[in-house]
Short mmCIF file of all heavy atoms in Angstrom, two decimals:
data_model
loop_
_atom_site.label_atom_id
_atom_site.label_comp_id
_atom_site.label_asym_id
_atom_site.label_seq_id
_atom_site.Cartn_x
_atom_site.Cartn_y
_atom_site.Cartn_z
N ILE W 1635 -24.40 -17.66 4.14
CA ILE W 1635 -23.35 -17.59 5.16
C ILE W 1635 -22.15 -16.91 4.51
O ILE W 1635 -21.45 -17.51 3.69
CB ILE W 1635 -22.96 -18.97 5.70
CG1 ILE W 1635 -24.19 -19.70 6.27
CG2 ILE W 1635 -21.88 -18.83 6.78
CD1 ILE W 1635 -23.90 -21.09 6.82
N PRO W 1636 -21.91 -15.63 4.82
CA PRO W 1636 -20.80 -14.90 4.20
C PRO W 1636 -19.44 -15.52 4.53
O PRO W 1636 -19.31 -16.35 5.45
CB PRO W 1636 -20.92 -13.50 4.80
CG PRO W 1636 -22.32 -13.40 5.28
CD PRO W 1636 -22.69 -14.79 5.73
N ASN W 1637 -18.45 -15.10 3.76
CA ASN W 1637 -17.08 -15.62 3.92
C ASN W 1637 -16.38 -14.93 5.08
O ASN W 1637 -15.46 -14.12 4.89
CB ASN W 1637 -16.29 -15.44 2.63
CG ASN W 1637 -16.82 -16.30 1.51
OD1 ASN W 1637 -17.28 -17.41 1.74
ND2 ASN W 1637 -16.77 -15.80 0.28
N ILE W 1638 -16.82 -15.23 6.28
CA ILE W 1638 -16.32 -14.55 7.47
C ILE W 1638 -15.26 -15.43 8.16
O ILE W 1638 -15.51 -16.60 8.44
CB ILE W 1638 -17.45 -14.29 8.47
CG1 ILE W 1638 -18.59 -13.53 7.79
CG2 ILE W 1638 -16.95 -13.54 9.69
CD1 ILE W 1638 -19.84 -13.42 8.65
N PRO W 1639 -14.09 -14.86 8.46
CA PRO W 1639 -13.12 -15.62 9.25
C PRO W 1639 -13.46 -15.53 10.74
O PRO W 1639 -14.10 -14.57 11.18
CB PRO W 1639 -11.79 -14.92 8.96
CG PRO W 1639 -12.19 -13.50 8.72
CD PRO W 1639 -13.56 -13.55 8.07
N ILE W 1640 -13.07 -16.53 11.48
CA ILE W 1640 -13.14 -16.43 12.94
C ILE W 1640 -11.71 -16.22 13.42
O ILE W 1640 -10.82 -17.01 13.12
CB ILE W 1640 -13.72 -17.69 13.59
CG1 ILE W 1640 -15.21 -17.80 13.25
CG2 ILE W 1640 -13.55 -17.67 15.10
CD1 ILE W 1640 -15.90 -18.99 13.86
N LEU W 1641 -11.50 -15.12 14.14
CA LEU W 1641 -10.14 -14.75 14.53
C LEU W 1641 -9.82 -15.22 15.94
O LEU W 1641 -10.64 -15.12 16.84
CB LEU W 1641 -9.97 -13.24 14.45
CG LEU W 1641 -10.32 -12.57 13.12
CD1 LEU W 1641 -10.14 -11.08 13.23
CD2 LEU W 1641 -9.46 -13.14 12.01
N THR W 1642 -8.61 -15.72 16.11
CA THR W 1642 -8.13 -16.01 17.46
C THR W 1642 -7.45 -14.78 18.04
O THR W 1642 -7.24 -14.67 19.23
CB THR W 1642 -7.13 -17.19 17.44
OG1 THR W 1642 -6.07 -16.88 16.51
CG2 THR W 1642 -7.82 -18.47 17.00
N ASN W 1643 -7.13 -13.83 17.16
CA ASN W 1643 -6.46 -12.60 17.58
C ASN W 1643 -6.92 -11.47 16.67
O ASN W 1643 -6.64 -11.48 15.47
CB ASN W 1643 -4.94 -12.78 17.51
CG ASN W 1643 -4.18 -11.57 18.02
OD1 ASN W 1643 -4.78 -10.55 18.35
ND2 ASN W 1643 -2.87 -11.68 18.09
N SER W 1644 -7.61 -10.48 17.23
CA SER W 1644 -8.10 -9.36 16.43
C SER W 1644 -7.25 -8.11 16.63
O SER W 1644 -7.64 -7.02 16.22
CB SER W 1644 -9.56 -9.05 16.78
OG SER W 1644 -9.68 -8.71 18.14
N ASP W 1645 -6.07 -8.27 17.25
CA ASP W 1645 -5.19 -7.13 17.48
C ASP W 1645 -4.60 -6.64 16.16
O ASP W 1645 -4.32 -7.44 15.26
CB ASP W 1645 -4.03 -7.51 18.41
CG ASP W 1645 -4.51 -7.87 19.81
OD1 ASP W 1645 -5.63 -7.46 20.17
OD2 ASP W 1645 -3.76 -8.57 20.53
N VAL W 1646 -4.41 -5.34 16.06
CA VAL W 1646 -3.73 -4.80 14.89
C VAL W 1646 -2.22 -4.93 15.08
O VAL W 1646 -1.72 -5.07 16.20
CB VAL W 1646 -4.11 -3.32 14.64
CG1 VAL W 1646 -5.60 -3.21 14.39
CG2 VAL W 1646 -3.70 -2.44 15.82
N LYS W 1647 -1.50 -4.94 13.95
CA LYS W 1647 -0.04 -5.01 13.95
C LYS W 1647 0.47 -6.19 14.77
O LYS W 1647 1.26 -6.04 15.71
CB LYS W 1647 0.57 -3.69 14.42
CG LYS W 1647 0.19 -2.53 13.50
CD LYS W 1647 1.00 -1.29 13.76
CE LYS W 1647 0.69 -0.21 12.72
NZ LYS W 1647 1.48 1.01 12.85
N GLN W 1648 0.04 -7.35 14.39
CA GLN W 1648 0.43 -8.59 15.07
C GLN W 1648 1.86 -8.99 14.71
O GLN W 1648 2.41 -8.56 13.70
CB GLN W 1648 -0.52 -9.72 14.68
CG GLN W 1648 -1.96 -9.51 15.09
CD GLN W 1648 -2.88 -10.57 14.54
OE1 GLN W 1648 -2.44 -11.60 14.08
NE2 GLN W 1648 -4.17 -10.30 14.56
N ASP W 1649 2.43 -9.87 15.53
CA ASP W 1649 3.70 -10.51 15.18
C ASP W 1649 3.46 -11.38 13.95
O ASP W 1649 2.40 -12.01 13.82
CB ASP W 1649 4.21 -11.37 16.32
CG ASP W 1649 4.65 -10.54 17.52
OD1 ASP W 1649 4.97 -9.34 17.33
OD2 ASP W 1649 4.66 -11.07 18.65
N ILE W 1650 4.44 -11.42 13.07
CA ILE W 1650 4.31 -12.16 11.81
C ILE W 1650 5.23 -13.37 11.83
O ILE W 1650 6.43 -13.24 12.05
CB ILE W 1650 4.63 -11.24 10.61
CG1 ILE W 1650 3.63 -10.08 10.58
CG2 ILE W 1650 4.61 -12.02 9.31
CD1 ILE W 1650 3.94 -9.02 9.55
N SER W 1651 4.66 -14.54 11.60
CA SER W 1651 5.44 -15.78 11.67
C SER W 1651 6.24 -16.06 10.40
O SER W 1651 7.28 -16.70 10.45
CB SER W 1651 4.52 -16.97 11.99
OG SER W 1651 3.42 -17.01 11.12
N ASN W 1652 5.75 -15.57 9.25
CA ASN W 1652 6.47 -15.76 8.00
C ASN W 1652 7.66 -14.79 7.97
O ASN W 1652 7.49 -13.57 8.00
CB ASN W 1652 5.54 -15.50 6.81
CG ASN W 1652 6.21 -15.68 5.47
OD1 ASN W 1652 6.99 -14.83 5.04
ND2 ASN W 1652 5.92 -16.79 4.81
N LEU W 1653 8.89 -15.31 7.92
CA LEU W 1653 10.08 -14.49 8.09
C LEU W 1653 10.26 -13.47 6.97
O LEU W 1653 10.65 -12.33 7.22
CB LEU W 1653 11.33 -15.38 8.19
CG LEU W 1653 11.41 -16.24 9.45
CD1 LEU W 1653 12.69 -17.09 9.43
CD2 LEU W 1653 11.39 -15.37 10.71
N GLU W 1654 9.99 -13.87 5.73
CA GLU W 1654 10.13 -12.94 4.61
C GLU W 1654 9.16 -11.77 4.77
O GLU W 1654 9.55 -10.60 4.61
CB GLU W 1654 9.88 -13.66 3.29
CG GLU W 1654 10.10 -12.78 2.08
CD GLU W 1654 9.96 -13.54 0.76
OE1 GLU W 1654 9.69 -14.76 0.80
OE2 GLU W 1654 10.12 -12.90 -0.30
N ALA W 1655 7.91 -12.08 5.11
CA ALA W 1655 6.92 -11.04 5.32
C ALA W 1655 7.27 -10.18 6.53
O ALA W 1655 7.12 -8.95 6.52
CB ALA W 1655 5.54 -11.66 5.49
N GLN W 1656 7.75 -10.82 7.57
CA GLN W 1656 8.14 -10.11 8.80
C GLN W 1656 9.21 -9.06 8.51
O GLN W 1656 9.12 -7.92 8.97
CB GLN W 1656 8.65 -11.12 9.83
CG GLN W 1656 9.08 -10.54 11.15
CD GLN W 1656 9.75 -11.59 12.02
OE1 GLN W 1656 10.96 -11.56 12.20
NE2 GLN W 1656 8.98 -12.56 12.52
N ASN W 1657 10.21 -9.44 7.73
CA ASN W 1657 11.31 -8.51 7.41
C ASN W 1657 10.80 -7.29 6.64
O ASN W 1657 11.23 -6.16 6.88
CB ASN W 1657 12.39 -9.23 6.61
CG ASN W 1657 13.15 -10.24 7.44
OD1 ASN W 1657 13.23 -10.10 8.67
ND2 ASN W 1657 13.70 -11.26 6.81
N ILE W 1658 9.86 -7.53 5.71
CA ILE W 1658 9.33 -6.43 4.91
C ILE W 1658 8.47 -5.50 5.76
O ILE W 1658 8.64 -4.28 5.76
CB ILE W 1658 8.51 -6.97 3.72
CG1 ILE W 1658 9.44 -7.68 2.72
CG2 ILE W 1658 7.74 -5.85 3.03
CD1 ILE W 1658 8.71 -8.43 1.63
N ILE W 1659 7.54 -6.09 6.52
CA ILE W 1659 6.62 -5.27 7.32
C ILE W 1659 7.35 -4.51 8.42
O ILE W 1659 7.01 -3.36 8.73
CB ILE W 1659 5.48 -6.14 7.90
CG1 ILE W 1659 4.65 -6.76 6.78
CG2 ILE W 1659 4.60 -5.33 8.84
CD1 ILE W 1659 3.98 -5.75 5.86
N ASN W 1660 8.36 -5.13 9.01
CA ASN W 1660 9.13 -4.44 10.05
C ASN W 1660 9.79 -3.18 9.52
O ASN W 1660 9.88 -2.16 10.22
CB ASN W 1660 10.20 -5.38 10.64
CG ASN W 1660 9.62 -6.40 11.60
OD1 ASN W 1660 8.45 -6.31 11.98
ND2 ASN W 1660 10.40 -7.40 11.97
N LYS W 1661 10.23 -3.22 8.27
CA LYS W 1661 10.86 -2.04 7.65
C LYS W 1661 9.85 -0.93 7.39
O LYS W 1661 10.23 0.22 7.20
CB LYS W 1661 11.54 -2.44 6.33
CG LYS W 1661 12.80 -3.26 6.50
CD LYS W 1661 13.55 -3.43 5.19
CE LYS W 1661 12.75 -4.22 4.17
NZ LYS W 1661 13.52 -4.50 2.94
N LEU W 1662 8.57 -1.31 7.38
CA LEU W 1662 7.52 -0.35 7.04
C LEU W 1662 6.68 0.05 8.25
O LEU W 1662 5.56 0.53 8.11
CB LEU W 1662 6.60 -0.95 5.96
CG LEU W 1662 7.29 -1.44 4.68
CD1 LEU W 1662 6.27 -2.11 3.75
CD2 LEU W 1662 8.00 -0.29 3.97
#
Side-chain angles (χ1 to χ4, degrees):
I1635 303 179
N1637 293 325
I1638 306 171
I1640 290 181
L1641 305 179
T1642 55
N1643 184 355
S1644 60
D1645 295 339
V1646 299
K1647 298 192 174 183
Q1648 297 173 15
D1649 291 337
I1650 298 173
S1651 51
N1652 181 284
L1653 292 180
E1654 184 176 0
Q1656 180 188 107
N1657 290 334
I1658 292 171
I1659 297 300
N1660 284 350
K1661 289 189 296 186
L1662 305 176

